[in-house]
């Protein structure tokens, strides 16, 4: 059996309509939040001594935390394009070995381009490819592009790699011996390795912008082509003002009303609250977590101190040999500035001073450091130590450096610097990269993962779920360098990337498998199964933490971390159909012409709609005060054999939770049972109390646990 996964090929964060420059600004201000100043001050301490004063140091500092987030624009020159054209599948992940025939319901196409001589070929794995660029070509942004020949507008080929990576994560075939420059060697496969996949390319230009017109056209085509699951790893940088103003909202409504499951990335605007994107109740919105694997190498200094740093270097230095260790400022080229030399910028170092040595350089936090390695190679250095100048070490980027290189955190960087300063002939070595498994605690909520509450409709909890999205190895386009925008011109068939874009296709793959096992389930039933079987404990048995090691909440993980095996057999589901979603729009006050954007047939709104009874698999109560308890109702559908369920409540001490009835007896499969939950605040509330209280309902028959998170907001806490 097989199922088709569809994938809208795009960029990590594509910006819709005219919002792009605004979105970048917003993303940057979200990255550091209130701590920006103290973090920055700590940088000056480290950097200051190098550049002769705090003021100079301030000038040298610039953040580009979101560079890995804002999309990669890799453009090939003609020669390189000629080398790869015709080569298809680009990746072994899209080989159709062992894949069944193309389903007869498939109406899609493999859109080829004669202008580019790009022989784009599909097979039984990659069964379709289309591209949509008219919206972009009509934009002001496009008019300002001076050379349009390098935009690759007439091909579905992925010149940028985000699409290849996410598509292979969802549905890539088995590929033995897959590694990133020798690291993480193993068999790669997508979530649904036997599925068929198709790609819909909608993002264009140097800023990888995705226009609503193109997004809607892609949804339309995908629905017509006969897809089962859509995996949407894109979203607006700015939140869309309302559902009817969002191409993804409208497109995904049409898809879901045709029985297609839509899975979407939550966005990379964390860790600030209220940053989650793709907040439609009809989509499954996915945040990102770390996994229990790290790639580290070890620096050993002459005095025996050992430091660990994340790295994907292909090689290490011999462990029995120590190399001279030099502060890069001491290897400055005659014509270079001190700022450039301390950061090992290209052309800033003198080969005569650096040759054969290990360089100590300052890394800009959140910036790729590949280019510093390229400079180290240029001057003949043996290795490079990059010292971060932000102390939030959990977000050091893992990079495939071009020579033995290790990237340490702020504290360790300071210690190494102290050793260099106080030692007559400082020496060091850098080990090969070790793959470290069973890292605890994991999963952690990834720093960048966007958080709730839902800015558009606070009564619907978002994100819905989390999945692995940090340091994910998947197929890569050989049209793009490992990290675009760097001087590294190598190619790699597999690469590590991080983002909610990487988390989203994990869930898409699982949704595709559920669709195979339960072809009659609605998108909402599949979503419910994935949510109610999620876990909120990590591999130490304690609660899931965020990357600063604080206890995570449903605003970080929704229902929790996916557990694919449990999702296949959830026991009960919270179902919803198109009418429910239309009533939800009615509840927002949408008139008939606005509703027509979502649903072509005329629809008459009911007299009244109570969001409290909208059958969502999570519960959010906003503005609950001490005087007025509030109730919600939910309906469970039995998808297992006859069984009796009773409810377990994990409540916050400040919230009294009453479930009626507290036992549900299901006599047959498909039977529906309603229950009511009443929430009441337990005064007194402390002055400094959080505005939000969290808990969980758990319907269990001993074998199954059908769990729903709840969030209660008290505006006066
Ligand atoms: C195109 O060229 C014009 C005039 O030289 C310049 O102002 C504009 O910024 C360029 N556009 C881009 C996208 O580089
Ligand atoms: C435009 O870009 C293409 C592809 O990168 C290049 O071959 C061509 O020389 C460029 N043309 C101009 C006028 O810069
Ligand atoms: C990866 O592992 C396979 C099988 O264990 C081995 O044959 C291959 O050489 C390894 N590749 C690399 C790059 O380490
Ligand atoms: C300094 O001079 C060298 C050699 O001429 C050159 O390659 C390098 O780009 C120059 N660096 C700067 C920062 O100008
Ligand atoms: C820096 O990394 C070391 C491990 O190499 C760790 O012990 C230390 O806590 C980290 N420092 C900070 C500020 O996170
Ligand atoms: C329907 O709602 C939209 C969006 O609020 C508004 O622009 C439009 O004027 C309304 N149409 C009617 C007929 O009220």
């Amino acid at each position: 059996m097989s199922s088709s996964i569809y994938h809208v090929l795009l960029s990590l964060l594509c910006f819709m309509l005219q919002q792009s420059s605004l979105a970048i600004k917003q993303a940057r201000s979200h990255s550091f939040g209130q701590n920006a100043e103290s973090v920055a001050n700590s940088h000056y301490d480290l950097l200051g001594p190098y550049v002769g004063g705090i003021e100079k140091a301030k000038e040298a500092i610039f953040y580009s935390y979101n560079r890995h987030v804002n999309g990669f624009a890799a453009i090939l020159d003609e020669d390189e394009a000629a080398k790869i054209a015709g080569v298809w599948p680009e990746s072994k992940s899209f080989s159709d070995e062992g894949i069944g025939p193309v389903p007869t319901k498939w109406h899609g196409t493999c859109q080829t381009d004669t202008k580019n001589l790009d022989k784009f070929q599909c097979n039984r794995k990659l069964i379709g490819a289309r591209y949509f660029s008219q919206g972009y070509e009509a934009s002001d942004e496009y008019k300002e592009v001076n050379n349009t020949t390098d935009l690759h507008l007439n091909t579905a080929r992925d010149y940028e790699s985000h699409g290849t990576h996410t598509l292979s994560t969802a549905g890539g075939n088995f590929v033995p011996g897959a590694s990133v420059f020798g690291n993480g060697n193993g068999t790669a496969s997508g979530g649904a390795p036997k599925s068929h996949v198709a790609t819909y390319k909608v993002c264009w230009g140097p800023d990888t912008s995705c226009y609503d017109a193109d997004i809607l056209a892609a949804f339309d085509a995908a629905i017509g082509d006969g897809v089962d699951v859509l995996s949407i790893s894109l979203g607006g940088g700015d939140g869309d003002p309302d559902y009817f103003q969002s191409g993804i909202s409208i497109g995904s409504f049409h898809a879901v009303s045709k029985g297609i499951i839509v899975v979407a990335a939550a966005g990379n605007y964390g860790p600030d609250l209220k940053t989650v994107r793709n907040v439609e109740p009809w989509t499954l919105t996915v945040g990102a977590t770390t996994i229990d694997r790290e790639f580290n190498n070890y620096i050993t200094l002459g005095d025996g101190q050992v430091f660990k740093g994340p790295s994907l270097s292909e090689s290490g230095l011999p462990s029995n040999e120590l190399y001279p260790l030099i502060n890069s400022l001491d290897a400055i080229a005659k014509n270079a500035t001190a700022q450039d030399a301390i950061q090992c910028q290209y052309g800033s170092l003198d080969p005569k001073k650096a040759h054969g040595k290990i360089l100590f350089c300052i890394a800009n936090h959140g910036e790729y450091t590949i280019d510093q390695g390229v400079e180290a190679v240029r001057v003949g250095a043996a290795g490079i130590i990059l010292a971060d100048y932000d102390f939030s070490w959990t977000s050091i980027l893992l990079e495939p450096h071009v020579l033995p290189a290790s990237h340490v955190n702020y504290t360790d960087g300071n210690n190494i610097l102290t050793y260099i300063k106080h030692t007559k002939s400082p020496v060091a070595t850098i080990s090969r990269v070790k793959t470290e498994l069973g890292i605890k605690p994991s999963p952690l909520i990834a720093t960048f993962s966007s958080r709730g509450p839902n800015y558009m409709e606070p009564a619907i909890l978002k994100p819905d779920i989390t999945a692995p999205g940090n340091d994910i190895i998947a197929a890569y386009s050989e049209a793009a360098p490992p990290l675009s925008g760097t001087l590294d011109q190598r190619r790699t068939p597999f690469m590590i990337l991080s983002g909610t874009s990487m988390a989203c296709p994990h869930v898409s793959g699982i949704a595709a498998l559920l669709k195979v096992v339960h072809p009659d389930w609605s998108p909402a039933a599949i979503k419910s199964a994935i949510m109610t079987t999620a876990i909120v404990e990590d591999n130490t048995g304690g609660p899931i933490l965020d990357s600063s090691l604080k206890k995570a909440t449903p605003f970080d993980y929704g229902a929790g971390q996916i557990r694919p095996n449990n999702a296949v057999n959830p026991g009960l589901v919270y179902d919803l159909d198109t009418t429910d979603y239309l009533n939800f729009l009615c509840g927002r006050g949408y008139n008939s012409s606005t509703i027509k954007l979502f649903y072509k047939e005329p629809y008459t709104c009911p007299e009244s709609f109570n969001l409290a009874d909208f059958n969502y698999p999570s519960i959010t109560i906003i503005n609950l005060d001490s005087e007025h308890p509030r109730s919600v109702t939910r309906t469970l559908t039995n998808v297992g054999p006859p069984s009796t369920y009773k409810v377990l409540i994990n409540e916050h001490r400040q919230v009294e939770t009453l479930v009626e009835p507290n036992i549900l007896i299901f006599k047959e499969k498909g039977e529906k049972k309603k229950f009511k939950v009443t929430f009441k605040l337990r005064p007194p509330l402390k002055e400094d109390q959080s505005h939000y209280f969290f808990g969980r309902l758990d319907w269990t028959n001993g074998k199954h646990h059908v769990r729903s998170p709840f969030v209660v907001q008290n505006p006066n806490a």
Side-chain angles (χ1 to χ4, degrees), residues 380-702:
I384 186 171
I385 295 170
L386 295 144
D388 214 80
Y389 63 87
D390 184 330
F391 47 49
S392 53
W393 78 298
T394 43
S395 50
I396 290 180
L397 298 175
L398 184 60
E399 295 176 75
H401 301 283
V402 295
L403 80 171
S406 192
H407 189 161
V408 297
N409 69 16
Y410 172 83
T411 322
D412 289 351
N414 249 337
N415 289 333
I416 295 170
L417 190 58
T418 305
Y419 165 76
I420 294 174
K421 280 186 177 159
H422 295 99
T423 309
K424 202 165 180 196
S425 308
V427 288
T429 189
I430 300 172
S431 77
R432 277 191 72 94
V433 173
K434 293 191 173 65
T435 305
E436 297 178 327
L437 302 171
I439 299 295
K440 288 181 179 174
S442 79
L444 300 171
I445 307 298
T447 315
F448 56 77
S449 187
S450 283
R451 307 308 211 281
N454 178 342
Y455 74 98
M456 203 183 292
E457 178 47 76
I460 301 289
L461 178 66
K462 290 282 174 173
D464 293 305
I465 194 88
T466 54
N470 200 55
D471 297 340
I472 303 303
I473 297 182
Y476 211 62
S477 163
E478 299 202 39
L483 294 170
S484 304
T486 66
L487 298 169
D488 179 12
Q489 287 308 311
R490 293 173 300 172
R491 294 291 181 266
T492 177
F494 288 87
M495 181 52 189
I496 275 194
L497 292 180
S498 297
T500 54
S501 284
M502 284 69 235
C504 168
H506 280 84
V507 177
S508 308
I510 290 155
L513 296 176
L514 292 185
K515 183 82 182 174
V516 173
V517 181
H518 305 290
D520 54 327
W521 283 13
S522 69
I526 288 178
K527 170 172 166 173
S528 173
I530 290 173
M531 286 173 68
T532 63
T533 55
I535 191 171
V536 295
E537 286 83 36
D538 64 23
N539 63 357
T540 69
I544 292 180
L545 307 176
D546 70 16
S547 53
S548 61
L549 304 183
K550 284 206 297 279
K551 190 177 167 187
T553 76
F555 288 147
D556 302 310
Y557 54 59
Q561 177 81 347
I562 46 160
R563 273 197 299 181
N565 292 342
N566 294 46
V568 174
N569 188 7
L572 307 170
V573 295
Y574 295 92
D575 209 354
L576 284 163
D577 62 20
T578 305
T579 306
D580 296 309
Y581 296 131
L582 287 166
N583 291 346
F584 171 85
L585 297 179
C586 294
R588 291 186 66 77
Y590 284 20
N591 58 34
S592 55
S593 52
T594 310
I595 287 179
K596 262 218 173 89
L597 293 172
F598 294 83
Y599 197 65
K600 295 239 156 52
E601 312 289 314
Y603 186 72
T604 310
C605 284
E607 289 291 300
S608 69
F609 169 80
N610 190 354
L611 193 52
D613 306 328
F614 185 65
N615 205 34
Y616 212 69
S618 58
I619 299 171
T620 306
I621 305 289
I622 55 171
N623 295 341
L624 181 68
D625 60 49
S626 313
E627 276 77 58
H628 306 91
R630 286 240 294 279
S631 300
V632 304
T633 64
R634 291 289 186 271
T635 302
L636 280 163
T637 305
N638 183 28
V639 293
S643 192
T644 298
Y645 284 81
K646 64 172 202 254
V647 75
L648 303 174
I649 305 166
N650 177 343
E651 63 187 6
H652 191 282
R653 66 195 147 73
Q654 223 72 75
V655 184
E656 190 180 319
T657 311
L658 178 70
V659 180
E660 301 165 291
N662 59 10
I663 291 186
L664 297 175
I665 301 164
F666 293 93
K667 296 205 185 70
E668 55 191 284
K669 198 171 180 172
E671 194 178 348
K672 291 179 187 291
K673 294 272 176 191
K674 209 176 222 174
F675 66 94
K676 181 167 101 172
V677 194
T678 305
F679 297 93
K680 194 175 153 188
L681 286 183
R682 275 194 191 115
L685 297 170
K686 289 202 207 96
E687 275 291 307
D688 61 346
Q689 192 88 55
S690 150
H691 287 264
Y692 295 101
F693 307 125
F694 306 104
R696 222 152 64 127
L697 291 189
D698 178 1
W699 285 99
T700 183
N701 61 356

Side-chain angles (χ1 to χ4, degrees), residues 76-78 147 149-150:
L76 274 191
D77 68 40
E78 295 289 13
N147 184 353
T149 55
D150 55 5

Side-chain angles (χ1 to χ4, degrees), residues 177 179 182 185-186:
S179 76
N185 188 12

